[in-house]
Amino acid sequence: MGGRGRVERHSAVPCVSAVHAPSLQEIQCLGLAKSRLSCVPGGSGSEPRAASTIASNSWNASGSPREGREDGQDGMDKSLDNDAEGVWSPDIEQSFQEALAIYPPCGRRKIILSDEGKMYGRNELIARYIKLRTGKTRTRKQVSSHIQVLARKKVREYQVGIKVSSHLQVLARRKSREIQSKLKAMNLDQVSKDKALQSMASMSSAQIVSASVLQNKLSPPPPLPQAVFSAAPRFWSGPIPGQPGPSQDIKPFAQPAYPIQPPMPPSLASYEPLAPLPPAASAVPVWQDRTIASAKLRLLEYSAFMEVPRDAETYSKHLFVHIGQTNPSYSDPLLEAVDIRQIYDKFPEKKGGLKELYERGPQNSFFLVKFWADLNSTIQDGPGTFYGVSSQYSSAENMTITVSTKVCSFGKQVVEKVETEYARLENGRFIYRIHRSPMCEYMINFIHKLKHLPEKYMMNSVLENFTILQVVTNRDTQETLLCIAFVFEVSTSEHGAQHHVYKAIRYLSKRRQERIRLIGDMLCQEDFDLVLLQEVWSERDYSDLNVKLGGCYPFSHYFRSGVIGSGLCVFSRFPILDTLLYQYSLNGYPYMLQHGDWFCGKSVGLVIIKISGIIFNIYVTHLHAEYCREKDAYLPHRLVQAWELAQFIRHTCKAADVVLLGGDLNMHPEDVGIRLLRGWTGLRDAFAEATHFEGCEDGCTLVPNNCFTDKSELLPFPLGIRIDYILYKAISSFMVKCEELKTTTGAAPGMDVPFSDHEAVMATLHIQRQGQAAGATLTTAEPMLADVVTEARTEVGVGLRAAQQQRYSSGRMALLALLLLLLQAMAALGALAGLDAGQPFPKLSFCLLAFLAIGILLLATGLHLFHTMEVKMLHSTEEQMRMVLRTLQECRDG
């Protein structure tokens, strides 16, 4: 009689994560509009806002601009002669552009400067700004005239664009007729013709005319927008808090229209790309998960810089921060992941904050960029110096994007800049460029003050709570396309500015639910007989798995223990006959809140099942974690757990035919705890015994390329470590052989997230009846078992002496607190007896000191009791090991 079964040991989603993010003491050297303006109707003043939103608005070609109405009809009648080069020289033109970006249009309303309390029209403010920046005077009417001249130029460009668009439509209709006639002449079936005509019908005029689109192997891009020009990203818009609506200003210096490709004669072969996409074309793009890119938008380039003119035509440029264009390949590693919850407090918590954005999703659009900003500039700041920011994005879709950039200090928003950008078709993709967006005076002054600090550590200290949050959304649908959190330090490298990109994810909440779903899907697809899970801390997750797996694994059990729960559960295709739970006597320290093992109630669960007449004792467990291998304060506790686990198996498996143990033992194969467990129980390691192995190298289950793993802890182990096991043995007249052992390797199929922080272990065991009973006795046990027990007893003894010292210290602290209370009681009795009638009794100080003494007394007493129990458990384990050593010695001598 024989049987064959598959067992999986899987570490599920952890509730306590040991993943750490890098230090967040950084800076964003980017310029944003200064939040000093408050626009009020009718000239009524109001207090300036601590954090304002300044939006960028596209210009409107309909109607007359409000800039003309602001200064009267004189500005409209102004001659073009006033706009000569001598009046608007390059330095004045640059100051003019900066002023347009700083001071938003407000029609007839006035703008109040908070530091002066005076009311100005927009043109007056622009003229004032030009005077401050260049020392040259320009009147408000000259400013108004210059705006109108530029606006009329834009209207003429718009009219030219309409004529080009009309010509494109004529060419498109002509080309469409040509393609349809050629289709009729071709020997194609009706279905192919219908698909081709349907694909062509979805194309715009420009796409039909352009032969390059027809030759593209991908599907044609969406139709071009009707407006062939974009709003200048350098200029602030419109709506000011408190105003009834946006002004309809005509913005000069809009970006040029989409590049129009000349028409080319089509060929019959050029029509092939209109067929459906090949399977390979639908694969995940190479840049996704390797660069700052979501499913719909990719950041190509980003830089903050300073330009100082050398002469009339040349200038020197210094980059504070820079992200250049890259060409990733599928062989490049995926981005490292960081827990986004660790930076929640660096950004606003109110509406529109990072936490709310992440919960809204999509989660694959969130990134953390750490910049090492280069402030070691040899270029001297002077007149005409320009501080700016440039960025470039790419997408396969034609849409209008809105880029919101928030400067945050101590988690509070200081100022927000909003820019709107339209797409331009280049090489089959839509490009969005925000070129030379000017910094505001706030950021320029901040950089100046930062550079004057004498030491780098002082700069980093200032930047510790200074962050930037950039959110790119689809203007029409309000969908989040990219969300980038910028944090900074000062660069100490000779190579200038540097950066590192992280993928921001959340290890719990929605990601946890997603991974639970992935685990359930995988288990439904496989044909395991038995599934052992650890770290399923949430009973809701267990219930969800139970519902999902009910059809495949109708029998299950969840082991409840401790405050949080043991996290252990079992799913089986065969009936569960009995269960038993044993909680380990030692389980870490309750005051180590950052680790949390004590609250989990680490345990071992026993499930008894019967398969084809064979009785199986199935054990599932999770031992205390090893947080620091060099200074492992929990080693004695973990050894006690390993010993209690071995004793529990020895004393409960006598009626079983086969014993299986699966779990996260948190010990390396060569550690004394594993050797003690295997030697005292006779269990065999499935990895060492497997005929065929497939998975991570050396069977490692905690690997560095897992996004939930703290890579700093695995620096001594570049391949990873093996801490998850399937152990087995036969008790009666059966033989167990591991035919195959496999582990998962990285992310779930088709996903960017793995099943768990540990790789799953899957074993196929062959069980066969044999003639004589199997099993190890004390005389046939591992020859070196006595040495292993001696080594384990030594480590337990070290832990015992440490626990005795801690018990003594806590007891002494409790005694001192008690003496302090007695002294206070004596002082209070003396005051009541009138011994110090001439002095007032300090009631407040007396009460505070009494509360402090009571708190210390309670805390020290609790610690003393805990360490007393710890001493008893360690001493009991040492005594058991001493007796086992005596028995082993007697067997060896006998």
Side-chain angles (χ1 to χ4, degrees), residues 507-524:
Y507 296 148
L508 297 179
S509 188
K510 294 183 179 179
R511 282 305 236 193
R512 171 178 58 85
Q513 296 171 359
E514 179 183 2
R515 292 156 62 199
I516 287 291
R517 176 181 58 80
L518 291 174
I519 292 174
D521 293 339
M522 189 267 285
L523 295 179
C524 287

Side-chain angles (χ1 to χ4, degrees), residues 27 52 162 251 454 524 532 580 650 676 789 881:
I27 179 176
S52 65
I162 293 177
K251 298 289 187 182
C524 287
L532 311 177
L580 179 63
R650 280 177 58 88
L676 177 67
V789 176
M881 291 181 175

Side-chain angles (χ1 to χ4, degrees), residues 444-552:
I444 296 174
N445 293 334
F446 181 81
I447 294 174
H448 287 169
K449 293 178 181 178
L450 195 65
K451 292 171 66 175
H452 283 87
L453 293 177
E455 300 292 341
K456 300 288 187 188
Y457 75 90
M458 295 182 181
M459 299 181 186
N460 289 332
S461 178
V462 171
L463 304 173
E464 181 177 357
N465 295 288
F466 197 87
T467 55
I468 299 290
L469 182 65
Q470 184 180 88
V471 183
V472 185
T473 58
N474 186 319
R475 189 190 65 175
D476 299 324
T477 64
Q478 297 302 310
E479 177 187 3
T480 300
L481 303 174
L482 277 180
C483 183
I484 310 172
F486 294 105
V487 294
F488 293 78
E489 285 185 2
V490 177
S491 175
T492 58
S493 172
E494 298 178 355
H495 303 289
Q498 297 175 313
H499 71 280
H500 191 82
V501 181
Y502 299 87
K503 192 176 182 64
I505 65 174
R506 185 164 55 184
Y507 296 148
L508 297 179
S509 188
K510 294 183 179 179
R511 282 305 236 193
R512 171 178 58 85
Q513 296 171 359
E514 179 183 2
R515 292 156 62 199
I516 287 291
R517 176 181 58 80
L518 291 174
I519 292 174
D521 293 339
M522 189 267 285
L523 295 179
C524 287
Q525 295 172 2
E526 300 289 344
D527 57 345
F528 299 115
D529 295 315
L530 188 66
V531 178
L532 311 177
L533 298 180
Q534 301 87 51
E535 299 188 21
V536 185
W537 307 118
S538 171
E539 292 194 37
R540 179 179 178 182
D541 291 339
Y542 166 73
S543 300
D544 294 341
L545 284 173
N546 198 17
V547 171
K548 193 179 191 71
L549 302 177
C552 304

Side-chain angles (χ1 to χ4, degrees), residues 767-785:
I767 302 170
Q768 184 177 2
R769 186 182 295 274
Q770 62 180 7
Q772 56 183 2
T777 64
L778 289 177
T779 57
T780 61
E782 183 180 342
M784 304 301 293
L785 180 58

Side-chain angles (χ1 to χ4, degrees), residues 567-583:
L568 307 175
C569 59
V570 177
F571 293 88
S572 172
R573 293 183 183 273
F574 302 93
I576 296 177
L577 305 180
D578 199 2
T579 63
L580 179 63
L581 177 71
Y582 175 77
Q583 185 171 339

Side-chain angles (χ1 to χ4, degrees), residues 274-286:
L274 295 179
L277 282 172
S282 60
V284 177
V286 64

